[in-house]
């Protein structure tokens, strides 16, 4: 019996508009956020570059891609946003894009119809004038429990926040960063700073507890789905850089990349990237179209892309030999970002459990 076609067939290809956006973002990052610039900045207390954020968020308009035009945004979708994250992942760029333009923005979008305060804050985020961060630990998966009182540890991009979205037992609040205590913590990935956040009791109430729970879940689901695109971009850079290096590096009067053992390793990694690209694009497309399969495709993308990004970064370090281990080479930055991303918004095992539950698989006895 022939199965009926889905209402919205998945589209895994990139449109001309998306490729134009990619070219603009890549040109900006190449000019303003090369790896040497990044290596220099992470030596400072703050790796963020406010001028770069303005260029990306406001001048290119990337911060408002998910926001409808009537609310001050660009009226694009998760597909275009995913392209931006692929480029940010390639460059391991230290910008609070995932935190503010995806997780916080999606959370506010769920509340904008019923809350003037949420709609007003959303317009500020879409214009790139304000950075908002959801005050939950970086490892929080969609649907997982998180602290509703007291200090919140490991809040990603907290040092860059102007406003915190703080979930409490009685709802969701917007708390200015000036009214919160932000204590930096030492992260593995220096390009995505972490901090312990203690928000004040006050703030502007955006939603009651039920609406807040739904909005936060939407923000985290979109964040997890689009994080896969960041991981894809990082993995693609690792493979491209490894292929380039092994072509140029010679031993025994031959490029080291011509040795069969290394060719097999890079070919297998290329195959893994093909799968990762399909998984990440499927998640972005499902989020963009509001597909009921979005939770499943997000879990699949995270379960697959997390492992692929880590393996690509490990291979990049290994196949660069000694130079890959040095502070001067960006391969180690890619590996730290990949390992940090592996537990961000839910660890791989949690997403695998989610897949099993969503498709009705019984756990092994």
């Amino acid at each position: 019996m022939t199965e009926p076609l889905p209402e919205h067939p998945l589209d895994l290809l990139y449109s001309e508009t998306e490729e134009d956006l990619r070219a603009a973002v890549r040109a900006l990052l190449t000019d303003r956020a090369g790896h040497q610039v990044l290596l220099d900045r992470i030596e400072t207390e703050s790796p963020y570059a406010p001028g770069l954020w303005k260029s990306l968020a406001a001048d290119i308009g990337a911060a408002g891609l998910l926001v409808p035009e009537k609310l001050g945004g660009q009226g694009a979708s998760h597909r275009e946003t995913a392209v931006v994250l692929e480029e940010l992942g390639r460059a391991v760029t230290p910008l609070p894009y995932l935190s503010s333009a995806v997780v916080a923005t999606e959370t506010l979008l769920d509340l904008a119809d019923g809350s003037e305060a949420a709609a007003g804050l959303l317009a500020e985020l879409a214009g790139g004038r304000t950075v908002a961060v959801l005050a939950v630990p970086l490892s929080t998966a969609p649907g997982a429990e998180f602290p509703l009182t007291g200090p919140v540890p490991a809040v990603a991009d907290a040092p860059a926040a102007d406003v915190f979205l703080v979930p409490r037992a009685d709802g969701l609040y917007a708390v200015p960063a000036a009214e919160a205590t932000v204590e930096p913590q030492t992260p593995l990935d220096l390009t995505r700073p972490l901090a312990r956040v203690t928000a004040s009791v006050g703030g502007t109430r955006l939603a009651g507890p039920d609406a807040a729970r739904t909005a936060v879940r939407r923000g985290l689901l979109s964040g997890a789905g689009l994080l896969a695109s960041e991981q894809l971009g990082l993995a693609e850079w690792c493979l491209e850089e490894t292929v380039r290096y092994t072509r140029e590096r010679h031993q025994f009067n031959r490029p080291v990349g011509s040795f069969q053992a290394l060719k097999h390793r890079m070919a297998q990694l290329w195959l893994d990237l093909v799968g990762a690209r399909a998984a990440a694009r499927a998640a972005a497309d499902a989020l963009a179209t509001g597909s009921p399969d979005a939770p499943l495709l997000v879990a699949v993308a995270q379960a697959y892309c997390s492992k692929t990004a880590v393996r690509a970064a490990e291979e990049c370090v290994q196949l660069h030999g000694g130079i890959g281990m040095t502070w001067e080479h960006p391969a180690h930055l890619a590996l730290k970002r990949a390992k940090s991303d592996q537990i961000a918004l839910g660890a791989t095992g949690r997403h695998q459990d989610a897949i099993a539950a969503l498709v009705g698989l019984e756990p092994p006895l």
Side-chain angles (χ1 to χ4, degrees), residues 48-66:
Y48 299 115
L52 178 61
W53 173 253
K54 179 181 179 301
S55 297
L56 177 71
D59 298 345
I60 292 181
L65 289 176
L66 291 174

Side-chain angles (χ1 to χ4, degrees), residues 5 39 53 61 94 96 99 131 135 153-154 156 161 177 189 192 202 241 249 255 293-294 364:
L5 290 173
L39 288 167
W53 173 253
S99 304
V131 172
D189 174 17
R192 182 165 279 157
E241 182 64 17
R249 170 80 169 161
D293 290 332

Side-chain angles (χ1 to χ4, degrees), residues 326-350:
T326 66
W327 184 248
E328 291 78 10
H329 200 279
H332 67 92
L333 297 178
L335 179 58
K336 289 172 183 172
R337 172 65 71 88
K339 292 296 290 183
S340 175
D341 282 354
Q342 194 174 31
I343 61 166
L345 299 167
T348 302
R350 185 178 183 91

Side-chain angles (χ1 to χ4, degrees), residues 217-276:
R217 180 170 296 187
R218 172 175 169 174
L220 294 175
L221 181 68
S222 292
L226 295 183
L227 174 64
S229 293
E230 178 183 295
Q231 293 163 322
L232 169 63
L234 183 149
E236 287 181 333
W237 177 86
C238 288
L239 178 58
E240 290 172 13
E241 182 64 17
T242 303
V243 170
R244 183 198 64 75
Y245 178 77
T246 55
R247 277 177 174 164
E248 296 178 356
R249 170 80 169 161
H250 283 64
Q251 276 190 338
F252 309 114
N253 206 29
R254 291 176 55 186
V256 295
S258 67
F259 292 105
Q260 191 172 39
L262 299 194
K263 285 197 288 189
H264 283 181
R265 286 169 69 169
M266 288 183 277
Q268 183 58 54
L269 189 55
W270 182 84
L271 290 173
D272 291 346
L273 281 178
V274 172

Side-chain angles (χ1 to χ4, degrees), residues 22-330:
R22 179 196 305 283
V25 175
R26 185 174 295 188
L28 172 68
L29 298 181
T30 301
D31 183 46
R32 304 268 299 278
H35 282 125
Q36 188 54 54
V37 175
L38 175 60
L39 288 167
D40 292 341
R41 286 205 65 84
I42 62 173
E43 294 281 357
T44 66
E45 292 185 358
S46 173
Y48 299 115
L52 178 61
W53 173 253
K54 179 181 179 301
S55 297
L56 177 71
D59 298 345
I60 292 181
L65 289 176
L66 291 174
V67 182
E69 292 184 53
K70 66 179 182 181
L71 295 175
Q74 307 301 321
S77 74
H78 300 75
R79 293 175 55 90
E80 291 82 2
T81 309
V83 170
V84 175
L85 280 162
E86 285 181 26
E87 294 306 308
L88 295 176
R90 285 181 63 91
V92 200
T93 314
L95 288 177
Y97 190 80
L98 183 70
S99 304
S100 184
V102 177
V103 176
T105 294
E106 280 282 293
T107 301
L108 292 171
L109 275 171
D110 206 71
L111 306 172
D113 285 341
S115 168
E116 290 186 7
L121 181 54
L122 189 60
E124 289 291 311
L125 266 60
R129 297 181 293 276
T130 298
V131 172
V133 169
L134 182 64
V136 300
L138 173 63
S139 60
T140 306
E145 299 297 325
F146 45 80
L148 294 173
T149 59
V152 182
V155 178
D157 296 324
D162 300 303
V163 177
F164 290 106
L165 304 182
V166 182
R168 294 177 182 148
D170 62 340
L172 183 69
Y173 288 77
V175 178
E179 299 177 14
T181 301
V182 178
E183 304 170 77
Q185 296 178 294
T186 302
L188 172 66
D189 174 17
L190 295 174
T191 63
R192 182 165 279 157
L194 304 177
R196 183 190 307 275
V197 175
T198 307
S200 65
V201 177
T204 302
R205 190 169 188 257
L206 302 175
D210 292 339
R213 191 176 303 111
T214 302
V216 169
R217 180 170 296 187
R218 172 175 169 174
L220 294 175
L221 181 68
S222 292
L226 295 183
L227 174 64
S229 293
E230 178 183 295
Q231 293 163 322
L232 169 63
L234 183 149
E236 287 181 333
W237 177 86
C238 288
L239 178 58
E240 290 172 13
E241 182 64 17
T242 303
V243 170
R244 183 198 64 75
Y245 178 77
T246 55
R247 277 177 174 164
E248 296 178 356
R249 170 80 169 161
H250 283 64
Q251 276 190 338
F252 309 114
N253 206 29
R254 291 176 55 186
V256 295
S258 67
F259 292 105
Q260 191 172 39
L262 299 194
K263 285 197 288 189
H264 283 181
R265 286 169 69 169
M266 288 183 277
Q268 183 58 54
L269 189 55
W270 182 84
L271 290 173
D272 291 346
L273 281 178
V274 172
R277 186 178 302 110
R281 291 300 289 170
D285 191 70
L287 290 167
T289 59
S291 168
D293 290 332
L296 174 61
L297 293 174
V298 167
V300 169
Q302 269 306 300
Y304 195 92
C305 293
S306 291
K307 291 193 293 187
T308 301
V310 170
R311 205 172 79 76
E314 288 175 342
E315 288 286 70
C316 185
V317 170
Q318 289 290 327
L319 296 183
H320 273 77
I323 188 65
M325 308 286 181
T326 66
W327 184 248
E328 291 78 10
H329 200 279

